[in-house]
Amino acid sequence: MKKNIKYAGVVAATLLAVAPIATSATTVQAADTTSATQDKISDWFQEQLDSIKAKAEKVLPGITKWLDSLANQKTDTNGETKATVDAASIVDGLKNQTYNKPSELKDFSILERHNNKTPGEDTTVLATILNSLGMLKDGQKDVLDHATDLSFTLSGAEDDNDFNAQILNMTKNGNGASFRINITLTNTKTKKAVATQNITFTNNSTVVAKATNIGINYTSPIAIGLNTDVLNERLTNSVTATVTDDSGKNLGYKQAIVGQDFYSSRQDANANDSSKAVDPGATFTKDGAQYYQRVTLVFDPESINVAKVTSAMGAGADQGIKINGENAQKYQINQDNDNSITYVRELAVGTQPNDNDNNTDTDTDTTPDETWSMTPNSGIVTVNSSLAPLHNDDNDVTTRSLGANSAWQTDQYRVNSKTGEKQYRVSSHEWVSSDYVTFGGTTSNGSGLSNVSDLTGHHTISLAGPDSFVYALFGINGGRSNRGLAGNSAWFTDKSATDSEGNTFYRVSTDEWVQAGSGVTFN
């Protein structure tokens, strides 16, 4: 038994000796398994962290906006939140908008969609409107987006059709046409207005619709006084042409190019053969002479496309170009190069045969026919205290008159060789005697305008025709503008003023005013 026990102990000892080795081998194997498991756990934790991070990043803007909202809830001494104060400051700081080129004009339909809507529109909508019109600075849109306690109202005119017409007039007519809107911010809790601002949109560019019918009218013959400078008739300001569409609206032209050559016949002038040109000298000294001169009017293709109108003419469409009432000839139309039309005008020097002279051989009337000498002279004529009758090119009194104390632009005057009477031209074919007007470069008293007042509501001024009438414009300092308003047009006005003599003026652009008087109707 002892021997067995001894061997059993040896076996046990052997097993014990072997066990650690076996255990060691098992332990190494177990260690490899644990490392793989740890890697898997690490990857799982990383996935969870990435998921949490992604969710946090999505939530973070909301948290940031919420924190901003809490900050914006802080009130000032008037009980208004910071967001309200900041938004009101933006609206109060909005500026009038002026556009000098058609390309600068915006899409104003967004204003039409929100005109006179029920108060309560969110300021996020206002932010979109102002931003689309380019009126907000960096960061201001975000401020309006966060002004949760505010609503706004936008109004341009009581009637939507009227408001749309105002916008259409401003975008299409230019030349100082404008319209105005009012924006009011209201605190939705207190129901009190926190900001109100009027904004005027002015289009100082020339914007006209493309014409399908073109009518060019010019004075011919032009009476030239003896011994007047030939140079005057080579200058652009000697051009008296008017361009109209089929409705009679004045279209204007981009440039007038006056030919430097004079011809003794219309045929030579039309042929444009400079070898047949004649030299009248430095002054027109030949009494009774007749000269012919080419004048080219260049058009802006955005308003008049000569090639398109000419093509329509060839196709027999109801479109055309008439020059002094006659259909234009092919040689007068320059559609390929400079989008222009050329006509020939006659210059009649001194005494000319009188077509209405019914004298016979037995007529003893030896009184010479009257002639007029023309002199370019741009400025303003202001009518005195009574109506001033108008004369046509033949010096016949017309049925029209200029109102007392009204101001008109003039580009030249003429003097009668027989009577010495002096007349100023105030439209293409109408003249007023110097006995009824005072010539000057400013208002009638030469002083500035004062008593400037805002006009409540929405108002226009209508200018009587014809289109060739030019109504003078003045600055707030009383000085004459280098622009004028054509007859048969209407303009929005927002202010009135007076001069030292009590004459009333209405503002039609940022610093251009038209004097109330004959032909000027305030609506």
Side-chain angles (χ1 to χ4, degrees), residues 333-352:
I333 301 172
N334 313 306
Q335 56 178 314
D336 297 328
N337 298 323
D338 54 4
N339 195 50
S340 66
I341 297 173
T342 297
Y343 63 85
V344 172
R345 65 182 184 181
E346 179 185 343
L347 308 178
V349 180
T351 305
Q352 297 290 320

Side-chain angles (χ1 to χ4, degrees), residues 152-321:
F152 80 95
T153 303
L154 183 152
S155 60
E158 293 183 4
D159 180 79
D160 281 347
N161 291 332
D162 184 38
F163 186 44
N164 296 347
Q166 291 180 24
I167 295 177
L168 183 64
N169 176 71
M170 177 268 201
T171 55
K172 287 189 172 298
N173 291 330
N175 295 323
S178 65
F179 70 89
R180 184 173 61 178
I181 64 172
N182 173 275
I183 295 176
T184 300
L185 284 187
T186 302
N187 189 313
T188 55
K189 294 181 178 179
T190 65
K191 307 302 181 183
K192 293 182 179 180
V194 297
T196 300
Q197 182 63 289
N198 291 316
I199 306 165
T200 300
F201 299 84
T202 303
N203 181 7
N204 282 336
S205 63
T206 300
V207 183
V208 293
K210 289 186 177 180
T212 57
N213 284 277
I214 304 172
I216 299 177
N217 291 284
Y218 63 95
T219 302
S220 185
I222 298 176
I224 303 297
L226 277 174
N227 301 315
T228 56
D229 290 339
V230 170
L231 178 61
N232 290 339
E233 302 310 318
R234 287 192 169 111
L235 300 178
T236 299
N237 62 11
S238 69
V239 175
T240 60
T242 59
V243 182
T244 57
D245 61 13
D246 51 358
S247 66
K249 180 180 178 181
N250 197 328
L251 299 175
Y253 44 86
K254 182 178 179 181
Q255 182 184 12
I257 303 174
V258 181
Q260 300 300 293
D261 291 332
F262 295 92
Y263 299 88
S264 57
S265 72
R266 187 179 297 275
Q267 182 178 0
D268 288 344
N270 281 326
N272 197 23
D273 184 356
S274 58
S275 66
K276 295 183 179 180
V278 296
D279 184 8
T283 58
F284 292 104
T285 58
K286 188 177 180 180
D287 189 30
Q290 296 174 337
Y291 298 100
Y292 297 86
Q293 187 181 35
R294 295 172 61 86
V295 176
T296 299
L297 302 181
V298 182
F299 301 98
D300 183 346
E302 290 298 318
S303 59
I304 296 177
N305 190 316
V306 175
K308 183 176 180 180
V309 177
T310 304
S311 176
M313 290 168 57
D318 186 22
Q319 297 178 340
I321 301 173

